[in-house]
Amino acid sequence: MEVILKEDVNKLGHRGDVVKVADGYGRNYLLPGKLAIVANAANKAVIEQMKGSAIRKLAKEKVVAEDLATKLSSVELSFERKVGDNDHLFGSVTSSDIAHQLEEKGFTIDRRKISLEEPLKTIGEFHVPIKLHRDVTSHVKVTVSGDRPVETQTASA
């Protein structure tokens, strides 16, 4: 199935690209999610007109993303999680946690733009990349600290 992408799709293509995808992927994910339209003659003509406006829109988005990247580079997030032996966390810090804390600080970032390979499961300082635009990536400093549970002592009478 050939589709025309209306939005950038990770590992598939950019807005305006005509790509060949599996029928199920196109029908069940791209089309209902309004990420693509079916590539037929009429839509190809429409997409050519859209490409011109997309280039202008992309330039504006890049400027906004670069501005946001400079603001995000100074942001530091800290998380406190319960830890066990060997400073191993009970639970983890995920991209959703990072997005939620960024939102509390006034930055609305989609969690899917936070490029966390896997959740943070150890104590330490991490620089997490955030892909704001296809050409703009910012890094946020994330500090994960431990909160050891207080061990209760039994009183002997």
Side-chain angles (χ1 to χ4, degrees):
M1 163 183 249
E2 275 195 341
V3 295
I4 303 168
L5 297 177
K6 291 171 68 178
E7 297 292 328
D8 290 352
V9 178
N10 205 16
K11 298 180 183 172
L12 185 60
H14 299 296
R15 183 185 309 151
D17 291 350
V18 177
V19 294
K20 194 170 189 80
V21 295
D23 291 347
Y25 183 60
R27 256 193 329 271
N28 299 327
Y29 178 70
L30 295 174
L31 297 176
K34 307 248 187 277
L35 297 173
I37 55 177
V38 177
N40 58 27
N43 287 341
K44 284 182 181 180
V46 169
I47 208 69
E48 288 302 319
Q49 293 173 346
M50 288 174 61
K51 271 190 180 182
S53 65
I55 291 170
R56 290 187 298 275
K57 184 178 176 186
L58 198 62
K60 287 180 188 175
E61 287 175 355
K62 185 175 180 180
V63 170
V64 170
E66 287 171 343
D67 183 45
L68 184 58
T70 56
K71 291 177 184 174
L72 279 175
S73 63
S74 64
V75 171
E76 294 183 18
L77 304 178
S78 61
F79 294 91
E80 194 170 288
R81 297 287 193 258
K82 293 200 180 301
V83 295
D85 296 333
N86 302 328
D87 291 336
H88 188 74
L89 296 181
F90 292 126
S92 60
V93 176
T94 63
S95 57
S96 295
D97 295 330
I98 294 169
H100 182 69
Q101 201 167 97
L102 281 171
E103 194 168 315
E104 289 176 356
K105 292 188 180 254
F107 299 100
T108 305
I109 306 288
D110 185 7
R111 68 172 178 79
R112 292 173 290 196
K113 292 186 178 192
I114 299 170
S115 304
L116 201 57
E117 296 286 323
E118 56 186 39
L120 306 175
K121 295 182 180 183
T122 57
I123 290 177
E125 187 176 290
F126 306 92
H127 292 280
V128 179
I130 300 175
K131 190 165 178 73
L132 301 170
H133 184 269
R134 72 169 85 156
D135 299 330
V136 181
T137 302
S138 180
H139 287 76
V140 172
K141 182 178 172 185
V142 175
T143 306
V144 180
S145 60
D147 177 24
R148 289 198 184 275
V150 178
E151 297 188 23
T152 56
Q153 296 180 351
T154 55
S156 56

